[in-house]
Amino acid sequence: MRPFVYERPTSVSAAIAIASRPDTVHVPSTGAGTQFIAGGTNLADYMKLGVARPERLLDLNTLAEPALRQIRIDNDKIRFGALVRMGEAADNNDVRRRCPVLADSLKFAASGQLRNMASLGGNVLQRTRCEYFREISWPCNKREPGSGCAAMEGSNRQHAVLGTSDACIATYHGDFAQALVALDATVDVEGSRGRRTLTFSKLHRRPGETPDIETDLAADELITAIEVPLAQWSSRSRYLKIRDRESYAFALASAAVALDMDGETVRSARIALGGLATVPWRAREAEDTLQGKVLDEATAQEAAEAAFADARPREHNAFKIPLGKRTLVRALLETRDMKG
Amino acid sequence: MNQAAPAPRENQGDPVVRIDARLKVTGQAGYPADIVTANVAHGALATSSIARGKVSELHTKDARAVPGVLDIVTYGDLDKTDMPKFGNTGASSIGPLHDKTVFHDGQIIALVVAESFEAAEEAAMLIRADYEDERPSASFDSKGVKMEPAAGKSPMFKEDAKAGDFDAAWADATVKIDEKYSTPTQHHNPIELFSTTAMWQGDQLTIHEPSQNVTGWKVELARQLKLDQANVRIVSPYIGGAFGSKGPMTARTAIVAVAARRIGRPVRCVVNRMQAFGTQTYRAETRHRIRMGAGKDGRITAFGHEAWEVTSRPDPYVVGGTSATARMYNYGSVLTHVSLVHADRNTPGYMRSPPETPYVYALENAMDEMAVALGMDPVEFRRINEPEKEPIGGKPFSSRSLIKCYDQASEAFGWSKRDPTVGSMRDGDWLVGMGCATAIYPTAAAPCAARVRLTADGEVRVQCGSHEIGTGVRTIAGQMAAERLGVGMDKISVEMGDSALPPAPVSGGSISTASVCSAVMKACDAIREKLFAAAAGKGAPLAGSANAKLDLKDEEVVTETGKSAKLADVFKAMQVGAIEEYAEFAPKGSSPEALSKLYAGQSEFHGGENDEDSVKYAFGAEFVEVRINSYTREIRVPRIVGAFAAGRIMNTRTARSQLMGGMIWGIGQALHEATEIDQRHARYVNRDLQDYLVPVNADIKQVDVILVPEIDHQVNPAGVKGLGELGNVGTAAAVASAVYHATGKRIRDLPIRIDDLIG
């Protein structure tokens, strides 16, 4: 690990002021010379591996604003401060009761130890675990733009089948983000140019020709809160995660599903897919096929076909397409059978 | 049954608590990298990013500029030392800093030494090499690999086993199986990382490093560094996960020693997890073709086992598990052949049950397929083919309790409730499958020395240069001494893991309990002789009693008739304060120089299929239930039952623990573990615990171990068969059998994952 400057700002505005100083190097996205750190479960790892090499770390754990650490639940929304730990949100009974998909997407992620450290704001910004990205001797367009993609023709069982480009097939591995993108969550962001609210689906960028640019955030922008609207579908929601082992593994395929039902008929469905795509993945085509239909094996299967119509497999990950479809079918049927 | 301390059955010792249990769970046990030493500098490795070629230039300028960097050891700096050797003690003949040739991915190209670990790691990352790289051959299917017969390439694997006329029997067989199986590359990932700490005092070198062979390493390191053996000491009191990974010494040990000598300070190098994949030994991938022919009555008439193993370019590492598979059942005729495939890879090495795990996986899968082809129950099929004598040499088994193991395990498991129809058992959305397989491991022992001292107050000190690799051997050696000398465990101390102690063999091949206990027993018996002679001598407390009728109990010498004399009084009569005995044990069949070789760091194994009088194996039977989701096909293992017979069980607690651990590893081998290799570059890809999966707690539910009583006086004086490696043999085949039963899909290539079942 190379030496870096470590600072502990005590307010959001102070953190942003440091991050936007002209002396800091503004490499796009997470290659920035100044990095915010909260739980450090992803960044510290990548610093040790030489993948992230920040000049300056701004520790957010000393920020004084109480709202950053609060979960606020109203009738029509849940608001998570960005420094709330994954474990705290996962174990919150009201979150679980009002919106099970949020609690499960958190609970099935990482391990108890990691969930106790990782912040929600950091969690949604976690970087890919692509093995070729993690190890600096491989070429990687995300780590070193223009160097090539070693995964494309390499060992790519873990890689994405949705939202890929010719430059990058790295999977977005997060779970919580799938629930957020399905539920039309928003994120509050603060930076040197002021505050703004982004819909969650606009936060991450597909790799396209610039896989190094992963989010819509400027280098000095900080997520301060995540807000999830509550509605008819929130309590009938579920996160199904399929993985190689029972715990402490990334999803091979996952589905976040929330259903608004009129008896056996779907009024509206919200669906996101994890472990399969380069970014948190809203499956709107699948949602559309279900609207106004009775939800059964056949219509669930139709939705699954629609979700994967554009999937592009590589040598080792073709199984993710049938697996992704079955995961979605199972998640839809299990969500249907929940009490609304 | 499912308890930590099973009640001892016939010929089984008490579940004595590990003498180092409290130290271990409270963090007091000092592992080699924990050694506190003043002024230590930290080492970090730089490794190659190609698998084949030459380093044309090494750029170290940026690395040297990192604040705190003290030295960089690289090409030329090892020139005054001798090259490593491949063999029992040495992991590989590749001397990475002796020669700029790159033989494999992740080969050491430099060692950076710095004031801090962080500075060393940073500098190592900044070392860049220019290569003249060549296209590497990654594995079996790569262009440019070199194949050769394995027989004769290793002293452990002299010939391919065969018996009878396989071709004729195969041609005549009514029911035939001809299938291919494979096992993946697997890497050791002990939680204790690999490390070397080297300290010099003048010409004397002390190495603190987790080791399963301190005596062997002392001799080998002295050779490489051209030192007097008396000036080299290897210390390894506790080991956090060995399983063969810390058996052979790697090139790093000498490199760190050279670094410490250059800077005149102790140097500690803890290898990071990624670099361990290229710098340590591992289990290479294997392929198998099994041909099995049987009559309609279920009797096997022909067994053919061909296998291929990957090794490095220079070293002929062979596991050769056909030695065991060829002797498993009453085959009629046997034909085996093992081939080595040399690729651009680091040299493989021992990993728990090196030959049996991959080879028995193939055999037991084929047995299950044959049972299906015959329409027979797989347990009955094995019963029918139970041999009276082993099929290759026609020798008897010293003992063989396989069918007892099957009977006890199948009853505990509830095998009779299994509906044999494939896909017939279900629990809601989950398909249920049940399967079984045989475990086998050769029983061997090797020469071993031990020193035991008894003092007048009943304190016993046992010294033996064996290694506590987590098996409980320290406890068991203490138990043996406590039993023979009639004192409680609270009076026992046991010193191990130091080359300054009496030499012991490598702690591998499940030989430690037999070898160490036999030596300790011999030393204790010599002490008994002295005590008894004194106690029964003229004017002594038990004058007139015959030696043979005396025993030691509760710190007293006792007679058959109930007379007794306190130890302290016997010592007083002898006018000594302590009796100390040094004993050397050599198993039956040892060569005249076997004991001398022990001091030279070479372990001469006896037993298994190599003895004249009988073949010696331990057996077990494992039963597994799997559940597979009918939609998404993930596989879970709610329960596993194993029954094992291994002669005298010294301690039912540590025995159960080892067997349970083996079965859990077996589940991991079946479902999780595999190193991914980038076939274009012959490089390991998933080099960390994020992507190299092993089971976590949530994957392991009910694990039942049954210790089947067995008495075997032939194996060794202690009557002990090793069982450290037995537990994970066969497990993966039992899982494969259960997956077939649940789904009708026969998965022949490990690991079994969703990928195979989803289509």
Side-chain angles (χ1 to χ4, degrees):
Chain A
M1 201 189 298
R2 72 172 171 175
F4 53 86
V5 176
Y6 173 72
E7 293 191 51
R8 299 200 288 177
T10 54
S11 69
V12 170
S13 54
I16 291 163
I18 301 169
S20 55
R21 265 185 218 154
D23 66 314
T24 56
V25 189
H26 281 200
V27 182
S29 186
T30 37
T34 296
Q35 296 269 354
F36 298 119
I37 187 165
T41 57
N42 193 200
L43 183 58
D45 228 18
Y46 279 153
M47 287 172 68
K48 289 183 207 162
L49 294 170
V51 173
R53 300 176 70 79
E55 306 279 343
R56 175 184 272 112
L57 276 192
L58 299 182
D59 189 340
L60 304 180
N61 294 298
T62 46
L63 300 185
E65 289 87 341
L68 290 170
R69 294 179 183 77
Q70 288 168 354
I71 303 175
R72 254 182 38 212
I73 304 176
D74 301 331
N75 272 340
D76 60 347
K77 61 179 183 292
I78 304 179
R79 192 176 168 81
F80 297 100
L83 286 179
V84 169
R85 305 292 149 167
M86 291 172 74
E88 189 189 348
D91 295 342
N92 184 299
N93 286 334
D94 291 322
V95 171
R96 170 162 304 280
R97 188 171 51 81
R98 299 290 296 276
C99 196
V101 67
L102 285 175
D104 281 346
S105 68
L106 288 162
K107 193 181 136 193
F108 297 154
S111 68
Q113 293 90 334
L114 290 168
R115 291 194 295 271
N116 286 340
M117 287 297 289
S119 70
L120 296 183
N123 174 266
V124 298
L125 294 179
Q126 68 180 290
R127 311 201 66 191
T128 184
R129 264 64 172 196
C130 169
E131 293 112 330
Y132 294 100
F133 171 77
R134 283 171 69 81
E135 216 280 67
I136 56 173
S137 64
W138 294 104
C140 171
N141 288 326
K142 192 184 270 299
R143 188 170 18 80
E144 281 177 60
S147 62
C149 172
M152 204 71 74
E153 307 298 330
S155 189
N156 47 35
R157 176 176 184 259
Q158 297 277 353
H159 288 75
V161 292
L162 294 167
T164 57
S165 72
D166 291 339
C168 183
I169 57 170
T171 304
Y172 175 84
H173 288 287
D175 295 300
F176 185 45
Q178 310 304 341
L180 296 177
V181 78
L183 298 173
D184 292 318
T186 57
V187 285
D188 287 359
V189 172
E190 210 171 316
S192 59
R193 283 174 298 173
R195 293 179 190 182
R196 59 184 181 129
T197 298
L198 271 171
T199 60
F200 193 82
S201 58
K202 293 271 162 55
L203 179 62
H204 295 84
R205 291 193 190 176
R206 292 197 198 182
E209 287 172 12
T210 53
D212 54 310
I213 303 174
E214 296 181 339
T215 72
D216 195 49
L217 300 180
D220 65 359
E221 279 188 313
L222 184 61
I223 295 178
T224 55
I226 297 167
E227 195 167 290
V228 183
L230 294 175
Q232 300 88 318
W233 55 80
S234 309
S235 59
R236 193 191 288 263
S237 69
R238 192 171 184 80
Y239 188 68
L240 176 65
K241 182 174 180 180
I242 307 302
R243 41 189 163 171
D244 282 315
R245 64 183 172 195
E246 187 72 15
S247 176
Y248 195 33
F250 297 114
L252 294 169
S254 72
V257 172
L259 294 175
D260 179 13
M261 303 286 289
D262 178 8
E264 292 185 356
T265 305
V266 178
R267 257 199 294 264
S268 74
R270 276 160 180 71
I271 299 170
L273 297 170
L276 297 157
T278 52
V279 291
W281 192 261
R282 181 82 178 259
R284 292 191 190 274
E285 299 79 2
E287 294 173 3
D288 292 345
T289 67
L290 288 168
Q291 202 165 348
K293 298 238 180 82
V294 171
L295 179 52
D296 56 21
E297 289 258 4
T299 52
Q301 189 63 42
E302 260 174 58
E305 296 298 335
F308 288 88
D310 295 331
R312 284 169 59 193
R314 306 297 309 179
E315 187 182 353
H316 305 115
N317 66 357
F319 77 99
K320 282 192 167 186
I321 295 174
L323 175 64
K325 290 179 189 172
R326 301 240 199 128
T327 302
L328 179 52
V329 169
R330 182 177 157 194
L332 283 167
L333 297 177
E334 288 181 359
T335 311
R336 176 196 67 184
D337 296 340
M338 293 173 76
K339 285 192 185 116
Chain B
M1 193 163 55
N2 189 27
Q3 55 182 5
R9 298 162 77 187
E10 188 189 6
N11 200 30
Q12 297 179 354
D14 288 336
V16 170
V17 174
R18 289 168 189 266
I19 55 179
D20 39 27
R22 180 168 288 273
L23 293 178
K24 285 187 170 180
V25 299
T26 55
Q28 306 288 305
Y31 291 79
D34 298 334
I35 184 79
V36 177
T37 178
N39 203 25
V40 69
H42 298 267
L45 300 174
T47 57
S48 73
S49 60
I50 66 158
R52 182 185 170 101
K54 230 175 172 58
V55 173
S56 51
E57 197 166 354
L58 199 70
H59 304 280
T60 59
K61 198 170 148 235
D62 291 350
R64 287 185 202 277
V66 171
V69 168
L70 298 165
D71 195 8
I72 296 177
V73 179
T74 184
Y75 300 106
D77 298 331
L78 272 282
D79 286 356
K80 288 181 185 156
T81 68
D82 277 342
M83 290 274 283
K85 273 186 188 164
F86 169 71
N88 204 11
T89 308
S92 172
S93 64
I94 298 166
L97 299 184
H98 285 88
D99 179 355
K100 289 186 171 175
T101 307
V102 175
F103 290 93
H104 60 84
D105 171 38
Q107 182 174 312
I108 296 171
I109 57 175
L111 171 74
V112 178
V113 182
E115 291 287 356
S116 71
F117 172 74
E118 290 77 10
E121 286 272 310
E122 170 67 10
M125 217 177 276
L126 293 174
I127 289 182
R128 261 177 261 291
D130 294 336
Y131 300 102
E132 294 162 24
D133 57 332
E134 297 168 38
R135 188 192 184 89
S137 311
S139 187
F140 293 122
D141 297 327
S142 308
K143 275 185 198 156
V145 293
K146 189 186 138 210
M147 190 158 90
E148 61 177 357
K153 294 293 181 304
S154 152
M156 310 282 280
F157 190 75
K158 295 195 181 87
E159 57 186 2
D160 289 315
K162 61 174 84 132
D165 186 346
F166 171 84
D167 290 334
W170 173 247
D172 287 350
T174 25
V175 184
K176 294 183 188 187
I177 294 289
D178 184 352
E179 294 294 352
K180 290 181 175 140
Y181 306 91
S182 74
T183 63
T185 317
Q186 296 174 341
H187 272 82
H188 287 285
N189 276 284
I191 291 303
E192 180 198 29
L193 292 166
F194 298 98
S195 72
T196 306
T197 304
M199 306 179 198
W200 291 88
Q201 287 200 355
D203 285 342
Q204 300 203 330
L205 171 64
T206 303
I207 297 284
H208 295 264
E209 177 168 343
S211 168
Q212 296 171 251
N213 190 5
V214 288
T215 304
W217 289 25
K218 174 187 77 176
V219 173
E220 173 61 12
L221 189 61
R223 185 192 66 77
Q224 286 182 28
L225 298 179
K226 301 178 180 175
L227 296 170
D228 187 338
Q229 283 176 25
N231 285 341
V232 178
R233 183 177 166 207
I234 312 284
V235 187
S236 175
Y238 293 95
I239 299 170
F243 304 108
S245 68
K246 291 152 185 170
M249 193 176 81
T250 67
R252 182 189 65 249
T253 310
I255 295 170
V256 176
V258 166
R261 187 159 56 185
R262 281 163 61 98
I263 66 163
R265 284 171 63 176
V267 173
R268 168 174 304 148
C269 174
V270 178
V271 181
N272 68 42
R273 182 126 348 244
M274 277 188 164
Q275 290 177 335
F277 278 69
T279 60
Q280 293 292 142
T281 57
Y282 63 102
R283 193 196 301 280
E285 58 273 32
T286 68
R287 283 183 175 173
H288 308 262
R289 179 191 182 197
I290 290 197
R291 285 179 290 169
M292 190 181 283
K296 284 223 165 77
D297 58 358
R299 286 181 201 284
I300 302 169
T301 53
F303 172 62
H305 191 166
E306 289 165 83
W308 296 263
E309 305 174 4
V310 163
T311 187
S312 63
R313 288 285 179 193
D315 300 324
Y317 178 76
V318 184
V319 295
T322 43
S323 302
T325 60
R327 291 173 173 85
M328 186 82 104
Y329 300 111
N330 190 22
Y331 296 118
S333 66
V334 176
L335 185 67
T336 68
H337 186 69
V338 177
S339 300
L340 279 185
V341 175
H342 292 270
D344 296 304
R345 297 274 298 281
N346 46 329
T347 305
Y350 315 117
M351 189 189 257
R352 204 175 196 177
S353 342
E356 289 72 21
T357 290
Y359 279 74
V360 172
Y361 166 72
L363 164 62
E364 289 300 289
N365 235 326
M367 288 295 285
D368 201 68
E369 298 206 52
M370 181 56 104
V372 170
L374 289 163
M376 289 183 79
D377 176 82
V379 178
E380 281 314 301
F381 178 50
R382 288 171 173 93
R383 199 186 301 277
I384 287 175
N385 288 290
E386 179 69 359
E388 278 180 24
K389 291 183 172 176
E390 58 94 2
I392 305 302
K395 289 180 262 188
F397 291 88
S398 67
S399 60
R400 179 177 168 115
S401 306
L402 177 62
I403 298 303
K404 273 189 202 158
C405 291
Y406 265 106
D407 289 344
Q408 295 187 20
S410 68
E411 197 191 329
F413 182 81
W415 182 251
S416 59
K417 296 189 195 97
R418 170 185 184 260
D419 179 341
T421 311
V422 164
S424 63
M425 298 182 78
R426 236 184 133 105
D427 181 4
D429 281 341
W430 294 83
L431 310 170
V432 176
M434 297 180 182
C436 63
T438 302
I440 180 173
Y441 198 80
T443 295
C448 182
R451 187 188 295 121
V452 179
R453 187 179 72 184
L454 174 70
T455 53
D457 57 3
E459 297 283 343
V460 174
R461 185 184 68 185
V462 178
Q463 293 178 308
C464 176
S466 186
H467 320 82
E468 177 53 274
I469 57 174
T471 54
V473 68
R474 194 193 294 259
T475 306
I476 285 164
Q479 265 180 285
M480 177 56 87
E483 184 186 302
R484 302 302 290 174
L485 299 178
V487 303
M489 281 301 285
D490 58 325
K491 290 293 187 80
I492 301 279
S493 68
V494 183
E495 293 172 18
M496 284 189 178
D498 189 331
S499 63
L501 296 170
V506 58
S507 289
S510 296
I511 61 163
S512 287
T513 301
S515 311
V516 171
C517 284
S518 295
V520 170
M521 193 167 124
K522 200 168 166 185
C524 290
D525 288 353
I527 293 174
R528 286 164 65 96
E529 286 300 311
K530 282 193 175 164
L531 279 174
F532 295 164
K538 249 187 199 170
L542 302 173
S545 305
N547 279 4
K549 303 263 168 92
L550 296 175
D551 200 359
L552 282 167
K553 270 203 181 105
D554 302 330
E555 298 179 31
E556 290 182 338
V557 180
V558 297
T559 71
E560 271 190 334
T561 54
K563 285 199 284 183
S564 65
K566 288 199 162 47
L567 266 189
D569 294 333
V570 180
F571 273 80
K572 227 184 276 174
M574 295 170 77
Q575 297 187 26
V576 297
I579 304 175
E580 184 166 87
E581 285 294 334
Y582 188 97
E584 293 178 328
F585 159 75
K588 219 162 104 182
S590 292
S591 67
E593 64 277 12
L595 282 164
S596 307
K597 279 159 70 183
L598 169 65
Y599 293 81
Q602 294 165 33
S603 305
E604 193 181 287
F605 279 39
H606 291 276
E609 67 276 3
N610 297 320
D611 288 0
E612 291 297 317
D613 55 345
S614 61
V615 293
K616 301 173 174 71
Y617 288 96
F619 290 92
E622 298 186 21
F623 288 74
V624 174
E625 179 181 320
V626 300
R627 293 192 169 217
I628 299 172
N629 188 275
S630 60
Y631 285 99
T632 41
R633 301 278 154 169
E634 68 269 33
I635 310 162
R636 300 292 180 252
V637 181
R639 62 196 185 102
I640 176 166
V641 177
F644 306 91
R648 172 157 171 76
I649 301 298
M650 290 296 298
N651 179 324
T652 54
R653 181 196 302 270
T654 55
R656 169 189 175 270
S657 180
Q658 286 200 73
L659 291 163
M660 177 177 65
M663 287 156 76
I664 291 170
W665 195 343
I667 292 171
Q669 286 166 338
L671 303 177
H672 306 118
E673 262 190 82
T675 307
E676 288 172 33
I677 300 169
D678 188 304
Q679 296 291 328
R680 302 164 298 177
H681 302 283
R683 299 190 65 193
Y684 302 126
V685 177
N686 56 336
R687 299 188 299 159
D688 52 38
L689 289 173
Q690 168 192 291
D691 291 310
Y692 187 92
L693 297 186
V694 297
V696 295
N697 273 337
D699 292 299
I700 304 303
K701 310 292 186 194
Q702 194 181 334
V703 181
D704 287 338
V705 176
I706 301 166
L707 297 169
V708 175
E710 183 182 69
I711 296 171
D712 188 332
H713 294 300
Q714 279 189 58
V715 280
N716 50 59
V720 163
K721 292 180 176 178
L723 46 70
E725 322 212 27
L726 183 60
N728 74 333
V729 181
T731 319
V735 173
S737 156
V739 168
Y740 172 78
H741 178 232
T743 63
K745 284 202 176 182
R746 183 67 69 180
I747 310 301
R748 300 184 180 90
D749 304 315
L750 291 180
I752 304 168
R753 298 194 289 204
I754 291 177
D755 320 25
D756 305 311
L757 300 176
I758 197 77

